[in-house]
């Protein structure tokens, strides 16, 4: 008995999953085939997945002699012919529901990820690794096509729904010609032309994969791209470090040159040379301590301040990106407003230490009196001459950054961290590696950044410093557990418990002003 072709479409809110379902039904009707679609909507835009289930009968009406097939309203576990998804984790989630099978299901999925709320909330790197997700796709599909749909959308200027339609057409799943799909997409507007471009790109990608039949080599195990010339290390620097460090060091070196200049990038190299020299006695030729420090040191040295923000906001590349995102055409008027709210800490960071201390004391006194911390809300028109000029003037102050109080503070903290890593590496490479990994505690801005630095310094001084009561043989394991605890929750309760368990003191309680609020009811009476 002829069975209908069952397809489950999975898209995030706002990606056009419903449009894709309608397109497929229209394609089937244009080709003269019975088709039916149902949907299970998710929540609001961009906050949840929406699934659409379709069944398409493989025989046209002309061969049914007036009879109509019975089509289902929902997929059956293990009986799905195709699973098409715009997000890799959503693909794996649907496979986890038991809908796909290795002997029947075609899986078409984007390789890109949209991070979940749980992944974003994690203090550390909460991203799920892509490797296991790709393994799930390979193990539970008869054949699969995993592609960079986000890139295809960007190249064609269309939504992912058109790209997914092209992938379905290129897979040969449905008994329709390419012309049937293109007829549905055609139209006089620019959006229709963009949809056809996205359709064609995805169609060609999947067609090539089918012809070559090398999905694992071309999709599941993509080759690592070599660093471009713009991120290559200078020859004299590359000669000092193992080749495995060159790609990441090239990116870091370029970032620090842009951030503060060649001299600042040279300081970065000198700091890594110290750690490399401390690892000379290590039997591991990969120099794990230096390799681990490479990334975190570059990120810390390129700390975000208002100078950095102004530079990024006023770059031509940002204007080009915004223009592409809103699909502005030639002759369109595009206005971009940037909102800033610098406070006393941001302004004090640019001042010498003496002036900065006075300004911070003044703001703390305001807070102690029950007033809100001082801030200056700004709305800058990036598209206007005065707005652009103000951003570029602020960005040009990077030459004065080394004179500011925050620069001096950050460099002193960096040196204390590197000194601890260097001393620990000479004593125990395992301990040096764990201290290097503590660099991931430094992230974010404002109170989050300050809290991370306080936690790192507390580990340096009380877990493995001269005043530490933790046995030397246990310090590496203790630092690893305490660092993991620090990344678990923002309040730091798990961190304090881990510190106490390993014989280190808990973090000191910081003073917080007590603000007394007047009761409006008592005032009226």
């Amino acid at each position: 008995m002829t069975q209908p072709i069952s397809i489950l479409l999975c898209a995030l809110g706002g990606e056009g999953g419903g449009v894709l379902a309608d397109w497929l039904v229209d394609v089937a009707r244009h080709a003269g085939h019975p088709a039916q679609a149902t949907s299970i909507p998710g929540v609001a835009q961009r906050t949840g997945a929406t699934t659409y289930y379709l069944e398409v009968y493989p025989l046209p009406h002309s061969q049914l002699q007036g009879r109509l097939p019975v089509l289902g309203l929902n997929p059956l576990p293990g009986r799905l012919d195709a699973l098409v998804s715009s997000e890799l984790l959503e693909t794996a989630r649907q496979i986890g529901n038991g809908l796909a099978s290795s002997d029947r299901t075609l899986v078409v999925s984007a390789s890109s990820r949209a991070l979940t709320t749980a992944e974003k909330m994690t203090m550390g790197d909460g991203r799920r690794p892509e490797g296991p997700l790709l393994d799930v796709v390979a193990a539970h599909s008869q054949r699969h096509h995993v592609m960079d749909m986000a890139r295809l959308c960007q190249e064609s200027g269309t939504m992912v729904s058109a790209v997914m339609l092209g992938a379905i057409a290129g897979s040969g799943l449905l008994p329709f010609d390419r012309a049937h799909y293109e007829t549905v997409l055609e139209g006089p507007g620019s959006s229709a032309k963009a949809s056809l471009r996205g359709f064609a790109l995805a169609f060609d990608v999947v067609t090539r994969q089918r012809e070559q039949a090398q999905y694992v080599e071309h999709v599941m195990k993509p080759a690592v791209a070599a660093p471009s010339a713009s991120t290559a290390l200078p020859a004299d620097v590359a000669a000092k470090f193992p080749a495995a460090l060159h790609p990441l060091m090239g990116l870091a070196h370029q970032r620090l040159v842009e951030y503060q200049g060649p001299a600042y990038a040279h300081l970065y190299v000198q700091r890594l040379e110290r750690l490399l020299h401390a690892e000379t006695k290590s039997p591991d030729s990969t120099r794990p301590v230096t390799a681990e420090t490479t990334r975190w040191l570059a990120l810390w040295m390129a700390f975000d301040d208002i100078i950095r923000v102004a530079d990024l906001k006023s770059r031509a590349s940002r204007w080009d990106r915004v223009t592409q995102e809103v699909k502005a055409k030639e002759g369109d008027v595009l206005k971009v407003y940037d909102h800033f709210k610098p406070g006393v800490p941001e302004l004090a960071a640019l001042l010498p230490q003496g002036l900065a201390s006075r300004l911070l004391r003044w703001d703390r006194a305001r807070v102690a009196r029950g007033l809100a911390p001082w801030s200056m809300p700004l709305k800058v028109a990036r598209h206007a001459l005065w707005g652009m000029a103000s951003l570029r003037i602020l960005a040009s102050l990077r030459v004065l950054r080394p004179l500011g109080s925050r620069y001096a503070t950050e460099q002193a903290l960096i040196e204390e961290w590197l000194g601890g890593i260097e001393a620990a590496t000479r004593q125990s490479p395992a301990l040096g590696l764990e201290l290097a990994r503590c660099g991931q505690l430094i992230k974010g801005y404002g109170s989050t950044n300050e809290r991370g630095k306080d936690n790192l310094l507390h580990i340096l001084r009380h877990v493995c410093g001269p005043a530490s009561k933790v046995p030397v043989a246990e310090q590496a394991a203790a630092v690893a557990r305490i660092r993991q605890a620090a990344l678990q929750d923002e309040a730091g309760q798990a961190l304090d418990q881990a510190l106490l368990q390993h014989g280190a003191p808990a973090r000191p309680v910081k003073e917080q002003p007590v603000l007394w609020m007047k009761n409006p009811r008592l005032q009226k009476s």
Side-chain angles (χ1 to χ4, degrees), residues 2 72 119 153 386 477:
T2 303
E119 290 175 300
C153 290
W386 68 269

Side-chain angles (χ1 to χ4, degrees), residues 221-350:
K221 297 180 180 179
V224 178
S228 61
S230 62
T231 59
L233 274 174
D236 57 332
V237 176
K240 301 176 182 178
F241 294 89
L245 300 182
H246 292 177
L248 187 56
M249 283 192 65
L251 294 171
H253 191 274
Q254 180 191 41
R255 177 167 182 166
L256 293 174
V257 169
E258 294 177 353
Y259 182 82
Q260 191 59 35
Y264 197 55
H266 181 63
L267 175 61
Y268 169 76
V269 174
Q270 288 180 324
R271 286 169 166 170
L272 288 180
E273 284 185 276
R274 288 167 44 192
L275 300 184
L276 191 65
H277 181 69
E279 281 193 285
T280 52
K281 297 181 179 180
S282 173
D284 193 340
S285 60
T286 61
R287 302 295 183 257
V289 176
T290 306
E292 186 67 30
T293 311
T294 298
R295 176 188 179 189
W296 307 120
L297 176 60
L299 293 175
W300 195 347
M301 290 182 65
F303 57 88
D304 287 333
D305 56 9
I306 57 178
I307 297 176
R308 174 70 170 172
V309 172
D311 178 43
L312 295 176
K313 294 284 189 181
S314 57
R315 289 187 178 183
S317 58
R318 177 174 179 257
W319 182 263
D320 294 338
R321 176 175 57 82
V322 173
T323 302
Q324 293 176 1
E325 288 179 353
V326 301
K327 297 180 176 59
K329 305 174 184 177
E330 185 177 355
D332 289 348
V333 177
L334 176 61
K335 295 184 178 181
V336 177
Y337 293 94
D338 288 309
H339 294 266
F340 301 91
K341 194 177 181 180
V344 168
E346 288 77 20
L347 297 180
L350 303 179

